[in-house]
Amino acid sequence: MPASTRLDVVDPKHVDVKAAVARLSREFLETSRGAHERGPYYAGLLSGEFEWESGEPNPKVRSAVHTGDDGEIDGVLVYEINRDDDTIEVEDLMAANPTAEVALWNYLGRHELCTKVTAHCVDPDGPLRWVLADPRRLKTTRVSDHAWLRVLDVAEALRIRGWEQRGSACLEVVDPLGLSAGTWTVTVGADGVEVAEGGDDPAMLDVATLGSLYFGDVRVRRLADVGLVTGSDEAVNRLDALFAVQRRPLNKAHW
C-alpha cells in the first residue's frame, strides 16, 4: 500500500464503520449498472447486531477498513472465520477504488488463521484475479441472479439508460404480450439522448433479449451470433456499438 494509506482491523459496530458502509453502498449504487438499493436490514447484518436465521447478535462478524491518503475510509471488509475448516467467509467488501479493494484482498490472503477465502458478489471485472500470484487458484463456484429486468416502457428506458457511446441505432422490439412492442431510433450525442418512434433498417429482438442487453451484461453481437438479435449486419453493428459499456453490471444486494 502507499505509505499514506492505512488498513485497520475495527469493530464492525463502530459508528464510523457503519457510516462508511452506508456511504460506500450509496456510491456503488450510483456508479454500478444493474445495482439496486440494499434493504435496511443490511446494516444490522454487516455490523453483527443480528444473525439472519436466529435474529440473535452475531459475535463472529469482524471488519477491516482501508483509509485513503485523504484520511477517509474508502474500503470496508466484513467477514467471519470458520474455524472448522480454517476458511474466511467474506460477507461484504465495498471499495471506492482499486487500491482499497486490492489492499483488503491482500489482508485476507495474508491472514494467519485461514487457508481458504470464500466470497459472494465478487466483481468479475475486478482486480482480484490479476493480483494473485497464481490466478488459477481463484475459482467461480456459482453465478447468481440478483436482478431481473422486464422493460415495459421501452422509450423511457432507453432515454434514462446512461449511454457511454455516441451514435445512432434503430431497434424493433417484439413482445408476445404486446406491452412493449414497437420500433425506436436512439441517437446519443453531445447534447444528450433522443429516442424517436420508428426508423429504418432496425435490428430486431424480443423484450427478454432487451432485458439482457440493457445493463450491458452481454454484447449485441454475441446475441446476434445465437440468433437472438437479427437484422442486417449494419443494423446489428450499429446497435452493438451503441450499447457497449466499459464495465459489466454488478449487483451486491439480495432481494
Side-chain angles (χ1 to χ4, degrees):
M1 292 187 297
S4 56
T5 66
R6 192 175 77 245
L7 195 147
D8 299 292
V9 178
V10 295
D11 180 356
K13 298 183 183 65
H14 193 283
V15 61
D16 289 344
V17 178
K18 295 172 70 173
V21 170
R23 173 174 50 81
L24 291 169
S25 296
R26 288 194 303 271
E27 292 175 2
F28 177 82
L29 178 66
E30 294 168 357
T31 58
S32 301
R33 293 181 180 274
H36 62 72
E37 190 172 4
R38 288 178 161 182
Y41 53 85
Y42 266 86
L45 283 174
L46 297 178
S47 65
E49 292 174 22
F50 72 91
E51 194 268 338
W52 182 259
E53 294 184 357
S54 69
E56 299 296 324
N58 185 359
K60 296 187 295 182
V61 171
R62 305 184 181 198
S63 188
V65 299
H66 180 270
T67 303
D69 55 14
D70 60 355
E72 184 172 68
I73 294 174
D74 58 1
V76 179
L77 166 70
V78 180
Y79 64 98
E80 297 181 15
I81 298 177
N82 186 339
R83 300 192 182 278
D84 294 334
D85 58 3
D86 296 329
T87 295
I88 286 183
E89 300 170 357
V90 177
E91 301 298 333
D92 196 39
L93 193 159
M94 281 287 185
N97 55 69
T99 299
E101 182 175 351
V102 169
L104 292 170
W105 284 121
N106 275 330
Y107 165 77
L108 291 169
R110 296 171 179 172
H111 203 291
E112 68 276 9
L113 296 180
C114 79
T115 57
K116 179 180 178 181
V117 176
T118 65
H120 59 270
C121 295
V122 177
D123 185 354
D125 292 332
L128 176 58
R129 182 178 299 277
W130 307 110
V131 297
L132 295 174
D134 182 3
R136 299 173 186 83
R137 300 298 296 272
L138 178 64
K139 300 184 185 303
T140 300
T141 59
R142 186 176 65 181
V143 178
S144 301
D145 297 333
H146 280 189
W148 297 341
L149 177 63
R150 207 290 187 189
V151 178
L152 294 175
D153 187 337
V154 175
E156 183 62 18
L158 294 173
R159 286 190 188 96
I160 66 173
R161 178 178 182 262
W163 301 88
E164 298 180 20
Q165 314 300 327
R166 295 183 181 181
S168 182
C170 182
L171 67 159
E172 179 180 339
V173 178
V174 177
D175 183 355
L177 299 181
L179 300 173
S180 306
T183 301
W184 293 269
T185 298
V186 185
T187 302
V188 184
D191 297 329
V193 182
E194 179 183 349
V195 180
E197 288 194 40
D200 299 323
D201 192 22
M204 291 164 282
L205 60 158
D206 66 18
V207 70
T209 301
L210 178 60
S212 298
L213 290 171
Y214 188 78
F215 291 127
D217 193 40
V218 62
R219 292 293 297 258
V220 172
R221 175 52 66 182
R222 176 63 66 197
L223 296 186
D225 290 341
V226 297
L228 293 176
V229 179
T230 60
S232 68
D233 284 344
E234 292 80 6
V236 171
N237 288 340
R238 286 193 294 268
L239 197 66
D240 180 64
L242 193 61
F243 267 81
V245 298
Q246 185 174 15
R247 294 179 67 86
R248 285 191 290 169
L250 181 66
N251 183 20
K252 291 190 175 185
H254 294 84
W255 298 107

